[in-house]
């Protein structure tokens, strides 16, 4: 359940390869009339993170469609010291057929997955419930760090909100407009691309790499919409003059580079709705990574703009 076949992209950095093996954003879709849904899965990394719940990092997150809406149905936690985990996700439901969406862990590799149902119950694979194909390349914010569950990362929330498929290619701490990542994106088929690529690099790196990054993608995607998100305003800059300077310069460089490119490329967009995480100082786990509340604030601001841009291309 890897997001990318990293053997195809040999020049990716070692950290990028490792993170792209994580199953963030991957979901299994199935139908069943079982009153119980359980799972047994084999994981690879068994790590604990200071800014993540165990459910998000290595557990499973189940949604069931009801009246057209994806509704949380249950979750499964791993057993940290063991490679194979087993849990009942939800039980004592009715026996009607259910359409299920099971998100896999954000920060772990999943080697195998088995879904358990009641004896005699029916279970079958279901079609992809989401339309189109929008790839999101980004930082730990895209990856889903500090979301409470895998389905609360913002690309997963976007797809449930819009009915569009948002493919999570978050690469925690390592999305820095790398030439190797541009070459990877250039080989991926998509209707649109969204980039959270200004959270990790400095202003100097943004100024140095941005044009070449876009040039590489444009060789194979000459008119595909490229949507660049301004990075969040970190709480870590509130009192640190050093971080404030670094972040201010980085945001200025990001906007200048994208807007300059927009003068000659009508299919590039810059989404900057202001303070993505609100002004009440309660939306991050550690001053940087949005919690579920932070992702809600973020989506309330960026979703209308992304929908409007995609609508120009018939992506709706």
């Amino acid at each position: 359940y890897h997001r990318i076949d990293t053997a195809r992209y040999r020049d990716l950095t070692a950290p990028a390869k490792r993170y792209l093996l994580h199953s963030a954003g991957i979901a299994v879709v199935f139908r069943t009339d079982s009153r119980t849904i359980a799972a047994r899965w084999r994981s690879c990394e068994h790590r604990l993170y200071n800014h993540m719940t165990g459910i998000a990092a290595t557990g499973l997150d189940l949604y069931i469609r009801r009246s057209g809406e994806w509704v949380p149905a249950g979750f499964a936690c791993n057993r940290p010291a063991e490679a194979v985990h087993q849990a009942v996700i939800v039980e004592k439901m009715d026996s009607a057929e259910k359409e299920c969406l099971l998100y896999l862990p954000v920060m772990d590799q999943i080697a195998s997955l088995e879904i358990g149902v009641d004896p005699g119950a029916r279970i079958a694979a279901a079609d992809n419930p989401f339309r189109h194909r929008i790839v999101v390349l980004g930082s730990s914010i895209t990856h889903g760090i500090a979301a409470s569950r895998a389905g609360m990362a913002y690309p997963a929330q976007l797809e449930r909100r819009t009915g569009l498929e948002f493919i999570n290619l978050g690469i925690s701490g390592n999305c820095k407009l790398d030439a190797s990542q541009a070459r990877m994106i250039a080989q991926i088929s998509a209707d649109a691309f969204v980039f959270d690529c200004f959270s990790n690099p400095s202003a100097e790196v943004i100024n140095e790499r941005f044009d070449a990054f876009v040039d590489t993608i444009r060789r194979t995607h000459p008119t595909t919409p490229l949507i660049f998100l301004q990075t969040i305003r970190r709480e870590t800059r509130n009192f640190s003059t050093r971080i404030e300077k670094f972040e201010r310069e980085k945001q200025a460089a990001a906007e200048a580079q994208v807007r300059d490119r927009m003068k000659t490329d009508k299919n590039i967009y810059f989404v900057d709705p202001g303070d993505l995480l609100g002004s009440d100082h309660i939306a991050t786990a550690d001053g940087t990574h949005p919690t579920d509340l932070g992702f809600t604030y973020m989506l309330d601001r960026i979703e209308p703009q992304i929908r409007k841009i995609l609508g120009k291309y018939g992506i709706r």
Side-chain angles (χ1 to χ4, degrees), residues 269-301:
Y269 301 88
F270 185 62
V271 172
D272 181 12
D275 188 354
L276 285 173
L277 298 182
S279 58
D280 49 14
H281 310 294
I282 58 172
T284 72
D286 54 8
T288 294
H289 297 99
T291 60
D292 292 355
L293 177 62
F295 282 132
T296 299
Y297 285 170
M298 180 177 173
L299 286 172
D300 286 347
R301 294 169 184 249

Side-chain angles (χ1 to χ4, degrees), residues 37-41 53-62 73-79 85-90 102-105 113-114 148-150:
I37 297 175
R40 181 164 58 214
W41 69 104
T53 68
I55 299 169
T58 57
L60 307 176
D61 189 15
L62 176 67
F75 61 87
C77 294
N78 71 339
R79 298 174 181 174
H85 320 289
Q86 184 167 312
V88 173
I89 301 174
V90 59
L102 181 65
Y103 286 101
L104 305 190
L113 171 69
E114 299 169 272
S148 65
R149 313 185 305 272

Side-chain angles (χ1 to χ4, degrees), residues 21 69 96-97 103 168 209:
L21 298 180
E69 178 186 4
E97 185 178 71
Y103 286 101
N168 186 330
R209 297 182 180 180

